[in-house]
Amino acid sequence: ARPLLLDLRRQPSTMSVPTVFALAVGGGLAANFGLTRLDKMHKGCADVCTVFQFAYGFTSALLSPAKRRFLKASERKLALKWHLLFALMFCIGPYLGNMAKSITKEDFTPVFLVVRSCGCVTSMLLGYALAGKQYSLRQVLSVYVVAYGAVVTTFGIPNAESTGGSGATTEPHLFLIGVGLLLANLVNDAGSGVLQAWVFERQGKHVDEVVFMMSGLGSLFYVALNGLKVYRFVSEWVANPTMTPVPLVGFEVPWEFALLLVNFYGNWNAKKLCTWLNGNSTAVISSLVPMLYRIMSGILSALLNTEVVLPAYTWLGIACVFGGSLSYLVSPKVEQKKKAA
């Protein structure tokens, strides 16, 4: 059999939906594992992962002639101002999330992952306020459950019992700032979705063009914001790598770069396989992938962090976020009223 790494480089047309779903979740878990371990070893290095994710995704797109043609202005259907705005919002989201991670400690990781799974809350609020969208009672109740679960989880972490001394937990004021940054991240991402839907409705659904330009311009914006910081981290890893033996192989690898590879390749494959699921199953199944791997990563992070013992009700909060999000995804959509021309 060919190695799995090679199989994922081509469109998984011969795989079943459950197989692709499992691989997508696995890719997301691997990406979060790489990010969490790297951040624990070198605090504040999450921006390195983001830059490599952006660059890898854009480089992969450049290999496709069908997508590379969007480099020519004559081939694009949308005005450059929209691409610049989409790319800026594309950067702001991870920038805020990475900042939250850089100022907090490992006890914040479950909050980081669980709150980022609450996109349906901000999507509904902005969809209703800015786009006039209508939602069913079940969708509204599901969002209430998600919001309740996020609040319970967030307030459970500061009340956790520390077994690793004062250095094991995040200071209260930094914890609150971290939560604020994550909420701003959610609002930005939901706003980006609402804006894209508004533009698509009026100028056509040019999805490939938007994804390509957003990835390319976003990479440039993010390097401009954090290029020096990324250079410093990578230079340190090159000069002083943490060499780790590979089990059953007999040689050592630079652990920082191994984790970086796991992060950006896992992230890219999760997104690629979600795209395949969108076309071969349903949008619900595709949307379930990031929610599931973030919740699972949050649970694993909480279980493996022996320096902090979470209150029992925190697990109720995590369950509410997962259950409410799942209920929201499978709820029947309300037919939107067409606006008069």
Side-chain angles (χ1 to χ4, degrees):
R2 297 178 65 188
L4 179 61
L5 184 66
L6 295 178
D7 284 342
L8 290 179
R9 289 178 182 171
R10 57 186 173 82
Q11 200 73 1
S13 56
T14 60
M15 299 183 190
S16 65
V17 168
T19 300
V20 174
F21 180 85
L23 289 173
V25 172
L29 286 171
N32 279 330
F33 169 78
L35 171 62
T36 302
R37 297 303 300 172
L38 265 177
D39 187 69
K40 187 175 182 179
M41 294 170 63
H42 303 276
K43 195 64 185 173
C45 71
D47 290 316
V48 179
C49 295
T50 301
V51 166
F52 274 80
Q53 287 174 11
F54 283 12
Y56 186 76
F58 183 60
T59 302
S60 300
L62 281 174
L63 298 177
S64 168
K67 296 178 180 178
R68 194 167 59 241
R69 64 187 176 89
F70 295 126
L71 290 171
K72 298 180 180 179
S74 59
E75 293 288 339
R76 298 195 294 267
K77 304 299 182 183
L78 299 180
L80 182 60
K81 65 177 181 179
W82 295 122
H83 292 306
L84 291 171
L85 186 55
F86 293 155
L88 182 62
M89 299 180 80
F90 182 62
C91 284
I92 289 175
Y95 181 79
L96 293 171
N98 290 345
M99 188 181 298
K101 199 158 183 61
S102 68
I103 65 173
T104 55
K105 297 182 180 177
E106 196 173 359
D107 64 320
F108 190 77
T109 300
V111 175
F112 176 81
L113 294 166
V114 169
V115 171
R116 289 186 67 202
S117 302
C118 301
C120 61
V121 179
T122 48
S123 292
M124 175 177 286
L125 291 174
L126 293 185
Y128 177 78
L130 301 180
K133 288 189 176 181
Q134 303 297 312
Y135 299 91
S136 67
L137 177 61
R138 180 174 171 179
Q139 287 176 307
V140 174
L141 292 176
S142 298
V143 164
Y144 273 117
V145 172
V146 171
Y148 172 77
V151 170
V152 169
T153 303
T154 300
F155 282 96
I157 301 297
N159 294 318
E161 180 183 347
S162 175
T163 61
S166 59
T169 55
T170 304
E171 292 85 347
H173 70 285
L174 292 178
F175 192 95
L176 290 175
I177 293 173
V179 171
L181 289 169
L182 289 182
L183 292 177
N185 174 302
L186 288 179
V187 172
N188 173 80
D189 290 351
S192 177
V194 171
L195 178 62
Q196 288 180 29
W198 184 86
V199 173
F200 288 162
E201 183 180 332
R202 286 157 178 76
Q203 302 189 31
K205 293 185 177 181
H206 307 292
V207 177
D208 286 343
E209 176 185 333
V210 167
V211 171
F212 178 83
M213 295 296 295
M214 190 165 59
S215 178
L217 293 172
S219 298
L220 294 176
F221 288 166
Y222 213 88
V223 169
L225 280 172
N226 291 292
L228 183 58
K229 180 181 179 181
V230 171
Y231 174 78
R232 287 172 179 168
F233 273 114
V234 174
S235 297
E236 179 187 345
W237 298 349
V238 171
N240 302 293
T242 303
M243 301 304 295
T244 302
V246 179
L248 305 177
V249 177
F251 61 86
E252 296 182 333
V253 297
W255 191 228
E256 287 89 353
F257 289 104
L259 290 172
L260 183 62
L261 175 64
V262 167
N263 173 264
F264 73 75
Y265 193 79
N267 177 274
W268 181 77
N269 267 308
K271 290 181 178 178
K272 176 182 177 181
L273 294 174
C274 280
T275 302
W276 185 91
L277 287 170
N278 256 331
N280 292 271
S281 58
T282 65
V284 170
I285 297 297
S286 175
S287 300
L288 187 59
V289 170
M291 183 191 73
L292 186 58
Y293 70 64
R294 284 172 183 164
I295 292 290
M296 291 174 66
S297 296
I299 292 173
L300 290 173
S301 172
L303 290 175
L304 294 175
N305 186 2
T306 57
E307 295 182 337
V308 175
V309 179
L310 298 180
Y313 61 81
T314 305
W315 299 105
L316 171 63
I318 293 174
C320 285
V321 172
F322 177 76
S325 298
L326 182 60
S327 175
Y328 179 85
L329 287 174
V330 301
S331 296
K333 302 297 184 292
V334 175
E335 185 177 350
Q336 305 299 320
K337 296 179 181 178
K338 294 184 178 180
K339 296 180 181 180

